[in-house]
Amino acid sequence: MKIDIEGNSVEFENNLNVGEILCKLKYDNSVIGALVDGELRDISYQPKKNVTLVPVRENSKEGLDLIRHTAAHALAEAVQSIYPNTKVTIGPVIENGFYYDFYTEKNFTEEDLELFEKKMLEIINGKKPIIKKIINKNDALSMFGKMGEFFKEEIINDLDDNQEISIYSQGNWFDLCRGPHAPNTSYIKAFKLLNVAGSYWRGDEQRESLQRIYGTAFFNKKDLKKYLLMLEEAKKRDHRKLGKELNLFSITEEIGPGLILWHPNGATVRTIIEDYWKNRHMEAGYQIVYTPHVAKASLWETSGHSEFYRENMFTQMVIDKNKYEIKPMNCPFHIMIYKSELRSYKDLPVKFAEIGTVYRYERSGVLHGLFRARGFTQDDAHIFCTLDQIELEVDQVIDLTTRFLKAFGFSDYEIFVSTRPKRYVGSKDEWVQATNALKSSLKNKGLKFSIDEGGGAFYGPKIDLKIKDVIGRSWQCSTIQVDFNLPKRFDLNYISRNNDRLQPVMIHRAIFGSFERFFGILVEHYAGAFPFWLAPLQVKILTVSEEQLDYSDSLKKELDKIKLRVDIDKRNEKLGLKIREAEVGKTPYILTVGKSEMENKTVNVRQYGGKQIGEIKFKDFVSMMKKDIRKGDSL
RNA sequence: GCCUUGGUAGCUCAGUGGUAGAGCGCAUCCUUGGUAAGGAUGAGGUCGGCGGUUCAACCCCGCUCUUGGGCUCCA
C-alpha cells in the first residue's frame, strides 16, 4: 500500500493504521489525527487503499475539531456520572467550540456547570485512551436499547444498513459516534463550559425539548484565555448595553417588543448616516422616494406577499370595509411609481431609493435589540432595467457598497453569489444571463466570492456581502438581488426601440440592510466610540471655574458656525469629574478652558482616550476642525 | 411560538413570609477646583401586571406581560 505524505510517497504493508504509519515515519505524538484523502480521521484509522495522508497536529484547525469533539464526550460522561438518568443525544463540534444536547428532568444551572467541569477535568487528567469499535446494527440497537438511550436507538434506526456504525469509548464510558476523536482525553489542555440553553431533538419543536450545554476547548490555556477575553470584549461592546449607557436608543414594554425609540444621541448619528446615504445615492443617479406604511391587501396579493410572506406580516386591518396591510417591504410601492407612467427603453435604468420603514412579525424569541426588531428601516432601492443592463448596474451597486462600507470602517468582507434553486420563476436562460452578470461584475473588480449553489431566492440570483467587524465577527448586511418575479406579477413593461412592450428586470438592493441593525453593528464595531464625523457630540467644552462661562459660550458660538456638535459642561463640579464624564461619554474632543486659556485666547485640547494635544490657539483648533469635517464629507 | 433565566428607585444591583436598602444619577447647599469620581442634606419605589394561598406576600402558587440565553454548524 502506498501512502503519499508531505511530499513523499512511501510503500507500507497493509493493515497498518495511521498511527503506526506515522510512528514508522518517526512522527511524534503531537500528531493526533490525519486528513486521509481530505477527510479528517482518527489516528487508529486503517487505510484500505493507496491514500494521501496529511498529519493533523496539535494547534491546527482540524486538531481543534478533534479535541473539541472529545471534550463533548468528556462532558457527556461527566453529566451522566453526576446525573445518571440523563439521556445523551448529539454533541457536535461547532465553529468556536462544541455543544452536547441532553434529555433530562433536571434543569442544569451554573453550579452544575462547575460540577461538570470538575468531573471533566478528572476524566481528562485520567488520560483515557479513546477507542473506536465498529459494531453491527443489531448489536448497536440492543446495546443502546438496554441502556435506555432511546435517542441513540432512533439515530441507529435511521442509518442505512450498509453504513458503518461505530462507538467510541473512554474508559468505561462510550458513545455512539461517527468520530473522529483525539487519541486520548489528555490532549484537551484547556476547556470551559460556557452556557446552558434549550433546544429540541432534531431542532423540531414538536419533539422532546433538550438542554444544551455549550463549551469550548483548546490546546493551551493561553488560547482559551484569548477566546474568553474576546467573548468578554463582545459583551462589553453589546449595543444594547452601550445603547443605554450612551443614551442612544431604548425599547420599552409600554410600546412593545421589537419597536425602537431612537433617543437624540442615536438619532443624531442616524441623521448623519441618512444624509450621507441620500447624498451618495443622488450622486449615483438614484431618485429618492417616500411611500406609505400601509396599503390595500390587494396590492400584497398581486405582489405575492400575502401568500408567500404571510407569516411575517402583521394582522390585517379593515378600514372603510377595505382590507389593509402594514408593509413588510417597500418594493410594491416602488413598482407602482414605476407604473405611474409609460416608460421608454431610453428611461432605463430607473432607480428608486427610499429610507423605508417596514414592519415584520418576528417570533418573540428571535427579537434581539437593534439586530432583530419588528419595526425597522431599510436602505432600500430598486433598479428597473433590461437584462443586458444588469452587469453594469450591479457593477455600480458594488462600487457604491464598498465605498459605503469603507466609509464606516469596514474593509474586510466575504462575498457570496447564490444561484438558481430547484423551484424558480423565469427562464433558465434569463437565470444564466443574470447569474453570469453578477459573477462577472465581481470578477471585473477582482473581488473574491464563493458560490452558494442553489441558494438563490425563487425569484432570482443574488449577491450577499458579509462584513467583518473589528473583533472578527461576521455580519450579513448588503444584498443585491435580481428579480424576475415581481415585474411579471405587476405586468411591468417599457417600450422598446422597435415599439414593443418588453418586461424590465428588477434589482433589489440594500447596503446596510436596515438602519437599526447597521447602527447596532457600528456601535459594537466602534465599542460606542464613533469616529469624529458620526459622533453624536463632537466637542465638549469644560470650564474650570465660573469665570470662564462667557468665554466658553463664545467658543461654542464659533464652533456652531462651522456646524460642529458642541456642548459646554458648565456645572459647578471639579475638572476631574468633568473629564471623566466626557471620556465615559466617548466625546472625540474635550476642550478645557481655565484662566490661562481665557487670557491667551486658547483652548486646552484632549482627544478621546486621553491623548493630550495641549494648549493651542482657538483659531488653530477651528481650522483643525474644519479639516476633520471635510474628512467626513469625502468618505 | 417552544425550552430556560431574570423583572426591586431614572441606571446598576443587594435583600427578607411581618408592608424595603446601597452606589450612581437627580434636587438643594457648601466648595471656584487644572486633565478619569470633593463634601453635606434631601426627594424618589403600589418590589412588572392580575388572581390565589396566608392573620400577613416583594418573597409561596397560577396566569399574563416582558428581558437575557438558545431552538440540527447533525450519530
Side-chain angles (χ1 to χ4, degrees), chain A residues 401 405 463-467 476-480 510-513:
Chain A
T401 303
L405 296 180
I463 295 175
D464 286 325
L465 233 120
K466 269 189 178 175
I467 57 178
Q476 213 235 280
C477 294
S478 314
T479 180
I480 307 170
I511 294 174
F512 300 140

Side-chain angles (χ1 to χ4, degrees), chain A residues 263-319:
Chain A
H263 294 201
N265 284 342
T268 301
V269 181
R270 174 165 166 178
T271 304
I272 297 157
I273 301 173
E274 285 188 358
D275 289 347
Y276 177 82
W277 190 91
K278 282 184 193 164
N279 290 333
R280 296 295 90 80
H281 278 76
M282 287 193 273
E283 286 163 15
Y286 289 83
Q287 295 173 291
I288 306 280
V289 299
Y290 294 98
T291 66
H293 286 204
V294 292
K296 281 189 183 167
S298 52
L299 182 79
W300 304 104
E301 274 153 29
T302 306
S303 70
H305 286 98
S306 299
E307 193 180 345
F308 298 109
Y309 209 66
R310 183 78 260 164
E311 57 185 31
N312 281 300
M313 289 166 74
F314 277 96
T315 312
Q316 219 172 51
M317 57 190 143
V318 176
I319 298 161

Side-chain angles (χ1 to χ4, degrees), chain A residues 170-410:
Chain A
Q170 51 203 39
N172 294 327
W173 191 87
F174 63 91
D175 195 6
L176 177 79
C177 182
R178 196 169 52 175
H181 280 276
N184 71 60
T185 52
S186 74
Y187 282 92
I188 305 163
K189 296 286 193 258
F191 72 95
K192 174 100 186 133
L193 299 181
L194 298 170
N195 55 332
V196 191
S199 66
Y200 298 96
W201 174 236
R202 300 200 151 151
D204 181 351
E205 38 185 85
Q206 305 302 319
R207 297 292 309 264
E208 292 85 346
S209 99
L210 309 170
Q211 288 198 71
R212 175 171 298 181
I213 298 178
Y214 284 90
T216 191
F218 292 90
F219 284 105
N220 57 65
K221 294 221 160 60
K222 211 178 109 205
D223 287 351
L224 174 66
K225 206 172 164 195
K226 212 171 106 195
Y227 178 70
L228 294 177
L229 275 174
M230 196 279 286
L231 289 183
E232 249 174 67
E233 185 60 32
K235 222 181 220 170
K236 265 190 237 158
R237 288 165 181 263
D238 191 315
H239 71 280
R240 292 164 301 185
K241 183 171 167 283
L242 287 171
K244 215 180 264 178
E245 283 171 10
L246 300 174
N247 202 2
L248 301 171
F249 70 94
S250 65
I251 299 169
T252 78
E253 197 173 326
E254 288 85 343
I255 292 171
L259 302 170
I260 289 142
L261 291 174
W262 289 75
H263 294 201
N265 284 342
T268 301
V269 181
R270 174 165 166 178
T271 304
I272 297 157
I273 301 173
E274 285 188 358
D275 289 347
Y276 177 82
W277 190 91
K278 282 184 193 164
N279 290 333
R280 296 295 90 80
H281 278 76
M282 287 193 273
E283 286 163 15
Y286 289 83
Q287 295 173 291
I288 306 280
V289 299
Y290 294 98
T291 66
H293 286 204
V294 292
K296 281 189 183 167
S298 52
L299 182 79
W300 304 104
E301 274 153 29
T302 306
S303 70
H305 286 98
S306 299
E307 193 180 345
F308 298 109
Y309 209 66
R310 183 78 260 164
E311 57 185 31
N312 281 300
M313 289 166 74
F314 277 96
T315 312
Q316 219 172 51
M317 57 190 143
V318 176
I319 298 161
D320 291 344
K321 292 183 189 158
N322 285 310
K323 293 173 187 159
Y324 284 78
E325 306 272 11
I326 302 178
K327 71 169 165 185
M329 290 193 195
N330 301 303
C331 9
F333 298 96
H334 294 192
I335 288 172
M336 295 316 290
I337 298 174
Y338 178 90
K339 282 187 84 161
S340 66
E341 56 187 282
L342 196 57
R343 307 280 176 177
S344 151
Y345 70 95
K346 294 175 195 163
D347 299 329
L348 300 186
V350 170
K351 310 188 208 181
F352 296 138
E354 177 178 11
I355 295 175
T357 303
V358 297
Y359 294 87
R360 296 181 186 174
Y361 172 74
E362 298 281 2
R363 301 196 306 170
S364 61
V366 304
L367 297 174
H368 185 90
L370 296 177
F371 288 163
R372 199 84 173 264
R374 284 183 174 157
F376 60 94
T377 309
Q378 294 180 302
D379 64 318
D380 210 358
H382 296 93
I383 299 169
F384 300 85
C385 64
T386 67
L387 205 50
D388 294 333
Q389 289 172 327
I390 293 178
E391 185 171 335
L392 182 62
E393 287 309 313
V394 169
D395 219 66
Q396 290 176 6
V397 172
I398 291 167
D399 281 346
L400 193 65
T401 303
T402 48
R403 180 181 180 184
F404 265 74
L405 296 180
K406 200 174 151 222
F408 290 96
F410 301 102

Side-chain angles (χ1 to χ4, degrees), chain A residues 36 95 131 136 263 300 368 505 535 575 605 618:
Chain A
V36 180
E95 202 182 326
I131 295 158
N136 70 44
H263 294 201
W300 304 104
H368 185 90
V505 176
L575 186 60
V605 186
F618 179 60

Side-chain angles (χ1 to χ4, degrees), chain A residues 1-14 16 20-22 24-27 47 49-53:
Chain A
M1 184 167 49
K2 213 171 65 184
I3 305 290
D4 288 329
I5 177 163
E6 300 197 315
N8 299 316
S9 194
V10 191
E11 191 67 36
F12 284 98
E13 62 209 87
N14 291 342
L16 287 184
E20 288 156 350
I21 291 169
L22 291 170
K24 283 184 187 258
L25 292 171
K26 305 269 188 265
Y27 280 88
K49 56 181 173 72
N50 298 344
V51 292
T52 305
L53 206 150

